[in-house]
C-alpha cells in the first residue's frame, strides 16, 4: 500500500510540469486594438502569405510561439500575388 501511494505521488509530480506547459502555450496571442500599447514591446516579426488573412494567421502563430500575449500589425504590402506584413510583439 505504501509503495502504491509513493508511486502515485511520483507520477502526479512528473505530470505537473507537462500540465503547466500545456496551459502556458494554449493562450494564443491576439491582435491589439488601436491605441493599446500599455504592454511591453518584446520584438518584431514579419510574414508572407497569399492574402492579408494568411499573413495575420502566420503572425498570430509566430507571436504565440515567441511568447507574446499580443501583437500589432504595423505594415502590410502586396507584391503581385503575395502579401507581406510586419508586426510588433507585446507581452
Amino acid at each position: 500500500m505504501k509503495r502504491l501511494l509513493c508511486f502515485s505521488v511520483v507520477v502526479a509530480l512528473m505530470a505537473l510540469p507537462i500540465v503547466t506547459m500545456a496551459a502556458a502555450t494554449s493562450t494564443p496571442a491576439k491582435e491589439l486594438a488601436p491605441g493599446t500599447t500599455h504592454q511591453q514591446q518584446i520584438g518584431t516579426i514579419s510574414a508572407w502569405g497569399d492574402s492579408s488573412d494568411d499573413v495575420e494567421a502566420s503572425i498570430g502563430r509566430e507571436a504565440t510561439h515567441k511568447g507574446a500575449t499580443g501583437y500589432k500589425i504595423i505594415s502590410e504590402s502586396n507584391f503581385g500575388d503575395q502579401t507581406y506584413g510586419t508586426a510588433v510583439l507585446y507581452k
Side-chain angles (χ1 to χ4, degrees), residues 20-57:
T20 304
M21 281 180 43
T25 59
S26 65
T27 306
K30 296 179 182 171
E31 186 168 12
L32 299 175
T36 308
T37 57
H38 64 277
Q39 297 178 332
Q40 181 181 0
Q41 182 177 336
I42 62 169
T44 59
I45 56 172
S46 58
W48 286 93
D50 293 332
S51 67
S52 293
D53 291 337
D54 287 346
V55 170
E56 186 174 345

Side-chain angles (χ1 to χ4, degrees), residues 65-86:
H65 178 72
K66 292 192 179 268
T69 56
Y71 62 90
K72 189 173 284 190
I73 296 176
I74 56 173
S75 71
E76 207 170 88
S77 302
N78 292 320
F79 296 97
D81 61 346
Q82 292 287 300
T83 303
Y84 178 79
T86 305

